[in-house]
mmCIF file of all heavy atoms in Angstrom:
data_model
loop_
_atom_site.group_PDB
_atom_site.id
_atom_site.type_symbol
_atom_site.label_atom_id
_atom_site.label_comp_id
_atom_site.label_asym_id
_atom_site.label_seq_id
_atom_site.Cartn_x
_atom_site.Cartn_y
_atom_site.Cartn_z
ATOM 1 N N LEU A 1 0.814 -1.213 -0.002
ATOM 2 C CA LEU A 1 0.002 0.003 0.000
ATOM 3 C C LEU A 1 0.844 1.261 -0.004
ATOM 4 O O LEU A 1 0.448 2.288 -0.575
ATOM 5 C CB LEU A 1 -0.919 -0.020 1.220
ATOM 6 C CG LEU A 1 -2.002 1.066 1.314
ATOM 7 C CD1 LEU A 1 -2.975 0.973 0.148
ATOM 8 C CD2 LEU A 1 -2.732 0.968 2.649
ATOM 9 N N ASP A 2 2.029 1.203 0.622
ATOM 10 C CA ASP A 2 2.891 2.392 0.678
ATOM 11 C C ASP A 2 3.327 2.836 -0.705
ATOM 12 O O ASP A 2 3.645 4.018 -0.914
ATOM 13 C CB ASP A 2 4.139 2.095 1.524
ATOM 14 C CG ASP A 2 3.806 1.935 3.008
ATOM 15 O OD1 ASP A 2 2.746 2.418 3.418
ATOM 16 O OD2 ASP A 2 4.593 1.294 3.734
ATOM 17 N N GLY A 3 3.355 1.922 -1.664
ATOM 18 C CA GLY A 3 3.773 2.282 -3.019
ATOM 19 C C GLY A 3 2.631 2.684 -3.944
ATOM 20 O O GLY A 3 2.872 3.061 -5.102
ATOM 21 N N ALA A 4 1.402 2.611 -3.455
ATOM 22 C CA ALA A 4 0.233 2.904 -4.308
ATOM 23 C C ALA A 4 0.253 4.342 -4.789
ATOM 24 O O ALA A 4 0.543 5.268 -4.019
ATOM 25 C CB ALA A 4 -1.057 2.618 -3.551
ATOM 26 N N GLN A 5 -0.092 4.532 -6.061
ATOM 27 C CA GLN A 5 -0.143 5.879 -6.635
ATOM 28 C C GLN A 5 -1.219 5.927 -7.709
ATOM 29 O O GLN A 5 -1.405 4.988 -8.472
ATOM 30 C CB GLN A 5 1.215 6.265 -7.207
ATOM 31 C CG GLN A 5 1.791 5.272 -8.213
ATOM 32 C CD GLN A 5 3.235 5.522 -8.525
ATOM 33 O OE1 GLN A 5 4.126 5.189 -7.732
ATOM 34 N NE2 GLN A 5 3.470 6.143 -9.672
ATOM 35 N N ALA A 6 -1.918 7.052 -7.775
ATOM 36 C CA ALA A 6 -3.062 7.182 -8.676
ATOM 37 C C ALA A 6 -2.664 7.167 -10.144
ATOM 38 O O ALA A 6 -3.465 6.804 -11.003
ATOM 39 C CB ALA A 6 -3.813 8.478 -8.356
ATOM 40 N N ASP A 7 -1.431 7.528 -10.476
ATOM 41 C CA ASP A 7 -1.022 7.616 -11.871
ATOM 42 C C ASP A 7 -0.214 6.392 -12.325
ATOM 43 O O ASP A 7 0.442 6.441 -13.374
ATOM 44 C CB ASP A 7 -0.218 8.892 -12.117
ATOM 45 C CG ASP A 7 1.082 8.933 -11.305
ATOM 46 O OD1 ASP A 7 1.297 8.028 -10.471
ATOM 47 O OD2 ASP A 7 1.876 9.878 -11.505
ATOM 48 N N LEU A 8 -0.272 5.308 -11.569
ATOM 49 C CA LEU A 8 0.540 4.135 -11.893
ATOM 50 C C LEU A 8 0.236 3.580 -13.285
ATOM 51 O O LEU A 8 1.108 3.020 -13.951
ATOM 52 C CB LEU A 8 0.322 3.041 -10.842
ATOM 53 C CG LEU A 8 1.187 1.790 -10.967
ATOM 54 C CD1 LEU A 8 2.653 2.140 -10.709
ATOM 55 C CD2 LEU A 8 0.736 0.699 -10.001
ATOM 56 N N PHE A 9 -1.024 3.736 -13.738
ATOM 57 C CA PHE A 9 -1.428 3.084 -14.990
ATOM 58 C C PHE A 9 -1.399 4.034 -16.202
ATOM 59 O O PHE A 9 -1.775 3.619 -17.293
ATOM 60 C CB PHE A 9 -2.829 2.498 -14.814
ATOM 61 C CG PHE A 9 -2.952 1.654 -13.582
ATOM 62 C CD1 PHE A 9 -3.686 2.080 -12.494
ATOM 63 C CD2 PHE A 9 -2.279 0.446 -13.485
ATOM 64 C CE1 PHE A 9 -3.780 1.327 -11.340
ATOM 65 C CE2 PHE A 9 -2.356 -0.319 -12.336
ATOM 66 C CZ PHE A 9 -3.113 0.129 -11.251
ATOM 67 N N ASN A 10 -0.964 5.257 -15.997
ATOM 68 C CA ASN A 10 -0.863 6.186 -17.126
ATOM 69 C C ASN A 10 0.082 5.631 -18.191
ATOM 70 O O ASN A 10 1.270 5.398 -17.911
ATOM 71 C CB ASN A 10 -0.367 7.557 -16.661
ATOM 72 C CG ASN A 10 -1.424 8.331 -15.899
ATOM 73 O OD1 ASN A 10 -2.594 7.929 -15.856
ATOM 74 N ND2 ASN A 10 -1.034 9.428 -15.284
ATOM 75 N N SER A 11 -0.437 5.408 -19.385
ATOM 76 C CA SER A 11 0.327 4.888 -20.531
ATOM 77 C C SER A 11 0.795 3.443 -20.348
ATOM 78 O O SER A 11 1.547 2.940 -21.187
ATOM 79 C CB SER A 11 1.536 5.781 -20.823
ATOM 80 O OG SER A 11 1.129 7.097 -21.147
ATOM 81 N N ALA A 12 0.346 2.772 -19.298
ATOM 82 C CA ALA A 12 0.708 1.362 -19.113
ATOM 83 C C ALA A 12 -0.205 0.484 -19.964
ATOM 84 O O ALA A 12 -1.362 0.826 -20.219
ATOM 85 C CB ALA A 12 0.570 0.968 -17.638
ATOM 86 N N VAL A 13 0.308 -0.657 -20.400
ATOM 87 C CA VAL A 13 -0.514 -1.637 -21.118
ATOM 88 C C VAL A 13 -1.297 -2.451 -20.093
ATOM 89 O O VAL A 13 -0.737 -2.926 -19.104
ATOM 90 C CB VAL A 13 0.357 -2.554 -21.976
ATOM 91 C CG1 VAL A 13 -0.475 -3.717 -22.530
ATOM 92 C CG2 VAL A 13 0.996 -1.780 -23.117
ATOM 93 N N TRP A 14 -2.584 -2.575 -20.336
ATOM 94 C CA TRP A 14 -3.449 -3.377 -19.449
ATOM 95 C C TRP A 14 -4.115 -4.434 -20.328
ATOM 96 O O TRP A 14 -4.907 -4.109 -21.216
ATOM 97 C CB TRP A 14 -4.510 -2.485 -18.793
ATOM 98 C CG TRP A 14 -5.258 -3.106 -17.648
ATOM 99 C CD1 TRP A 14 -5.833 -4.347 -17.601
ATOM 100 C CD2 TRP A 14 -5.525 -2.497 -16.372
ATOM 101 N NE1 TRP A 14 -6.446 -4.539 -16.393
ATOM 102 C CE2 TRP A 14 -6.268 -3.430 -15.613
ATOM 103 C CE3 TRP A 14 -5.219 -1.256 -15.809
ATOM 104 C CZ2 TRP A 14 -6.718 -3.144 -14.324
ATOM 105 C CZ3 TRP A 14 -5.648 -0.995 -14.533
ATOM 106 C CH2 TRP A 14 -6.387 -1.915 -13.790
ATOM 107 N N VAL A 15 -3.763 -5.680 -20.121
ATOM 108 C CA VAL A 15 -4.265 -6.763 -20.966
ATOM 109 C C VAL A 15 -5.602 -7.255 -20.427
ATOM 110 O O VAL A 15 -5.756 -7.493 -19.222
ATOM 111 C CB VAL A 15 -3.271 -7.939 -21.005
ATOM 112 C CG1 VAL A 15 -3.773 -9.010 -21.984
ATOM 113 C CG2 VAL A 15 -1.884 -7.458 -21.411
ATOM 114 N N LEU A 16 -6.586 -7.409 -21.313
ATOM 115 C CA LEU A 16 -7.826 -8.091 -20.990
ATOM 116 C C LEU A 16 -7.812 -9.438 -21.706
ATOM 117 O O LEU A 16 -7.339 -9.536 -22.844
ATOM 118 C CB LEU A 16 -9.037 -7.258 -21.414
ATOM 119 C CG LEU A 16 -9.290 -5.983 -20.613
ATOM 120 C CD1 LEU A 16 -10.536 -5.265 -21.136
ATOM 121 C CD2 LEU A 16 -9.439 -6.268 -19.129
ATOM 122 N N THR A 17 -8.348 -10.469 -21.043
ATOM 123 C CA THR A 17 -8.251 -11.819 -21.586
ATOM 124 C C THR A 17 -9.637 -12.458 -21.695
ATOM 125 O O THR A 17 -9.967 -13.376 -20.937
ATOM 126 C CB THR A 17 -7.324 -12.685 -20.712
ATOM 127 O OG1 THR A 17 -7.768 -12.620 -19.352
ATOM 128 C CG2 THR A 17 -5.894 -12.177 -20.781
ATOM 129 N N PRO A 18 -10.448 -12.002 -22.632
ATOM 130 C CA PRO A 18 -11.793 -12.570 -22.797
ATOM 131 C C PRO A 18 -11.725 -13.981 -23.361
ATOM 132 O O PRO A 18 -10.758 -14.363 -24.050
ATOM 133 C CB PRO A 18 -12.442 -11.622 -23.795
ATOM 134 C CG PRO A 18 -11.295 -11.085 -24.596
ATOM 135 C CD PRO A 18 -10.171 -10.940 -23.620
ATOM 136 N N LEU A 19 -12.743 -14.758 -23.073
ATOM 137 C CA LEU A 19 -12.921 -16.078 -23.668
ATOM 138 C C LEU A 19 -13.717 -15.932 -24.960
ATOM 139 O O LEU A 19 -14.255 -14.865 -25.278
ATOM 140 C CB LEU A 19 -13.644 -17.005 -22.706
ATOM 141 C CG LEU A 19 -12.955 -17.270 -21.373
ATOM 142 C CD1 LEU A 19 -13.866 -18.088 -20.470
ATOM 143 C CD2 LEU A 19 -11.633 -17.998 -21.590
ATOM 144 N N GLU A 20 -13.823 -17.028 -25.700
ATOM 145 C CA GLU A 20 -14.607 -17.002 -26.945
ATOM 146 C C GLU A 20 -16.070 -16.697 -26.666
ATOM 147 O O GLU A 20 -16.787 -16.169 -27.532
ATOM 148 C CB GLU A 20 -14.486 -18.348 -27.654
ATOM 149 C CG GLU A 20 -13.061 -18.763 -28.018
ATOM 150 C CD GLU A 20 -12.306 -19.391 -26.850
ATOM 151 O OE1 GLU A 20 -12.883 -19.474 -25.735
ATOM 152 O OE2 GLU A 20 -11.156 -19.801 -27.061
ATOM 153 N N THR A 21 -16.527 -17.007 -25.465
ATOM 154 C CA THR A 21 -17.944 -16.820 -25.105
ATOM 155 C C THR A 21 -18.189 -15.572 -24.272
ATOM 156 O O THR A 21 -19.296 -15.367 -23.767
ATOM 157 C CB THR A 21 -18.427 -18.045 -24.312
ATOM 158 O OG1 THR A 21 -17.575 -18.247 -23.181
ATOM 159 C CG2 THR A 21 -18.413 -19.299 -25.181
ATOM 160 N N SER A 22 -17.167 -14.733 -24.092
ATOM 161 C CA SER A 22 -17.327 -13.552 -23.236
ATOM 162 C C SER A 22 -18.417 -12.622 -23.754
ATOM 163 O O SER A 22 -18.608 -12.448 -24.964
ATOM 164 C CB SER A 22 -16.004 -12.782 -23.142
ATOM 165 O OG SER A 22 -15.050 -13.518 -22.427
ATOM 166 N N ASP A 23 -19.113 -11.980 -22.797
ATOM 167 C CA ASP A 23 -20.198 -11.065 -23.140
ATOM 168 C C ASP A 23 -19.624 -9.766 -23.696
ATOM 169 O O ASP A 23 -18.743 -9.139 -23.086
ATOM 170 C CB ASP A 23 -21.019 -10.777 -21.873
ATOM 171 C CG ASP A 23 -22.196 -9.888 -22.150
ATOM 172 O OD1 ASP A 23 -23.196 -10.377 -22.731
ATOM 173 O OD2 ASP A 23 -22.144 -8.686 -21.805
ATOM 174 N N ASP A 24 -20.125 -9.334 -24.862
ATOM 175 C CA ASP A 24 -19.601 -8.132 -25.510
ATOM 176 C C ASP A 24 -19.780 -6.892 -24.644
ATOM 177 O O ASP A 24 -18.881 -6.043 -24.546
ATOM 178 C CB ASP A 24 -20.283 -7.914 -26.864
ATOM 179 C CG ASP A 24 -19.825 -8.914 -27.913
ATOM 180 O OD1 ASP A 24 -18.730 -9.488 -27.733
ATOM 181 O OD2 ASP A 24 -20.544 -9.116 -28.904
ATOM 182 N N ALA A 25 -20.937 -6.760 -24.018
ATOM 183 C CA ALA A 25 -21.198 -5.572 -23.198
ATOM 184 C C ALA A 25 -20.251 -5.531 -21.994
ATOM 185 O O ALA A 25 -19.737 -4.462 -21.650
ATOM 186 C CB ALA A 25 -22.657 -5.576 -22.729
ATOM 187 N N THR A 26 -20.017 -6.666 -21.359
ATOM 188 C CA THR A 26 -19.094 -6.728 -20.238
ATOM 189 C C THR A 26 -17.699 -6.314 -20.668
ATOM 190 O O THR A 26 -17.044 -5.495 -20.025
ATOM 191 C CB THR A 26 -19.056 -8.144 -19.628
ATOM 192 O OG1 THR A 26 -20.336 -8.438 -19.067
ATOM 193 C CG2 THR A 26 -17.997 -8.261 -18.545
ATOM 194 N N PHE A 27 -17.240 -6.887 -21.791
ATOM 195 C CA PHE A 27 -15.912 -6.550 -22.272
ATOM 196 C C PHE A 27 -15.797 -5.066 -22.566
ATOM 197 O O PHE A 27 -14.822 -4.409 -22.173
ATOM 198 C CB PHE A 27 -15.587 -7.350 -23.540
ATOM 199 C CG PHE A 27 -14.262 -6.984 -24.145
ATOM 200 C CD1 PHE A 27 -13.091 -7.559 -23.657
ATOM 201 C CD2 PHE A 27 -14.180 -6.066 -25.171
ATOM 202 C CE1 PHE A 27 -11.864 -7.209 -24.202
ATOM 203 C CE2 PHE A 27 -12.951 -5.710 -25.722
ATOM 204 C CZ PHE A 27 -11.801 -6.288 -25.234
ATOM 205 N N ALA A 28 -16.784 -4.494 -23.242
ATOM 206 C CA ALA A 28 -16.740 -3.073 -23.609
ATOM 207 C C ALA A 28 -16.743 -2.184 -22.363
ATOM 208 O O ALA A 28 -16.022 -1.183 -22.301
ATOM 209 C CB ALA A 28 -17.918 -2.730 -24.516
ATOM 210 N N GLN A 29 -17.550 -2.532 -21.363
ATOM 211 C CA GLN A 29 -17.624 -1.708 -20.152
ATOM 212 C C GLN A 29 -16.338 -1.787 -19.336
ATOM 213 O O GLN A 29 -15.848 -0.759 -18.852
ATOM 214 C CB GLN A 29 -18.815 -2.154 -19.306
ATOM 215 C CG GLN A 29 -20.171 -1.826 -19.920
ATOM 216 C CD GLN A 29 -21.316 -2.490 -19.180
ATOM 217 O OE1 GLN A 29 -21.318 -2.536 -17.950
ATOM 218 N NE2 GLN A 29 -22.282 -3.012 -19.905
ATOM 219 N N VAL A 30 -15.786 -2.988 -19.172
ATOM 220 C CA VAL A 30 -14.530 -3.112 -18.430
ATOM 221 C C VAL A 30 -13.424 -2.370 -19.163
ATOM 222 O O VAL A 30 -12.610 -1.667 -18.554
ATOM 223 C CB VAL A 30 -14.158 -4.604 -18.234
ATOM 224 C CG1 VAL A 30 -12.767 -4.731 -17.604
ATOM 225 C CG2 VAL A 30 -15.189 -5.281 -17.331
ATOM 226 N N ASN A 31 -13.384 -2.513 -20.480
ATOM 227 C CA ASN A 31 -12.403 -1.789 -21.280
ATOM 228 C C ASN A 31 -12.510 -0.292 -21.075
ATOM 229 O O ASN A 31 -11.518 0.409 -20.883
ATOM 230 C CB ASN A 31 -12.596 -2.118 -22.769
ATOM 231 C CG ASN A 31 -11.831 -1.167 -23.661
ATOM 232 O OD1 ASN A 31 -10.621 -1.257 -23.799
ATOM 233 N ND2 ASN A 31 -12.525 -0.216 -24.262
ATOM 234 N N SER A 32 -13.730 0.234 -21.077
ATOM 235 C CA SER A 32 -13.939 1.665 -20.921
ATOM 236 C C SER A 32 -13.444 2.159 -19.570
ATOM 237 O O SER A 32 -12.800 3.212 -19.461
ATOM 238 C CB SER A 32 -15.429 1.990 -21.089
ATOM 239 O OG SER A 32 -15.675 3.355 -20.869
ATOM 240 N N ILE A 33 -13.736 1.418 -18.517
ATOM 241 C CA ILE A 33 -13.315 1.822 -17.171
ATOM 242 C C ILE A 33 -11.796 1.816 -17.068
ATOM 243 O O ILE A 33 -11.183 2.751 -16.538
ATOM 244 C CB ILE A 33 -13.953 0.896 -16.116
ATOM 245 C CG1 ILE A 33 -15.468 1.103 -16.058
ATOM 246 C CG2 ILE A 33 -13.335 1.146 -14.728
ATOM 247 C CD1 ILE A 33 -16.218 0.048 -15.260
ATOM 248 N N ILE A 34 -11.169 0.765 -17.575
ATOM 249 C CA ILE A 34 -9.716 0.666 -17.492
ATOM 250 C C ILE A 34 -9.042 1.744 -18.332
ATOM 251 O O ILE A 34 -8.059 2.363 -17.899
ATOM 252 C CB ILE A 34 -9.271 -0.741 -17.916
ATOM 253 C CG1 ILE A 34 -9.679 -1.752 -16.836
ATOM 254 C CG2 ILE A 34 -7.768 -0.794 -18.168
ATOM 255 C CD1 ILE A 34 -9.468 -3.186 -17.219
ATOM 256 N N ALA A 35 -9.569 1.995 -19.531
ATOM 257 C CA ALA A 35 -8.999 3.050 -20.360
ATOM 258 C C ALA A 35 -9.101 4.400 -19.679
ATOM 259 O O ALA A 35 -8.225 5.277 -19.845
ATOM 260 C CB ALA A 35 -9.711 3.082 -21.722
ATOM 261 N N SER A 36 -10.155 4.614 -18.882
ATOM 262 C CA SER A 36 -10.321 5.895 -18.190
ATOM 263 C C SER A 36 -9.234 6.107 -17.133
ATOM 264 O O SER A 36 -9.001 7.225 -16.696
ATOM 265 C CB SER A 36 -11.695 5.967 -17.538
ATOM 266 O OG SER A 36 -11.764 5.181 -16.366
ATOM 267 N N LEU A 37 -8.561 5.024 -16.722
ATOM 268 C CA LEU A 37 -7.470 5.135 -15.741
ATOM 269 C C LEU A 37 -6.150 5.510 -16.413
ATOM 270 O O LEU A 37 -5.127 5.610 -15.736
ATOM 271 C CB LEU A 37 -7.303 3.822 -14.973
ATOM 272 C CG LEU A 37 -8.545 3.285 -14.245
ATOM 273 C CD1 LEU A 37 -8.186 2.038 -13.444
ATOM 274 C CD2 LEU A 37 -9.161 4.346 -13.347
#
């Protein structure tokens, strides 16, 4: 926790790993939230 910082993810790559059956809406929403970080 001592190393936590709000800008840690700026310009970082964040991989999402959907399955073949993943819900499109779920993927799009999670992607949107993560991109906002």
Side-chain angles (χ1 to χ4, degrees):
L1 188 62
D2 291 339
Q5 54 192 77
D7 62 354
L8 185 66
F9 310 109
N10 287 350
S11 300
V13 170
W14 193 312
V15 185
L16 291 180
T17 53
L19 300 174
E20 301 82 357
T21 55
S22 291
D23 183 75
D24 287 339
T26 295
F27 176 83
Q29 291 170 40
V30 173
N31 167 76
S32 177
I33 292 169
I34 289 172
S36 75
L37 304 184

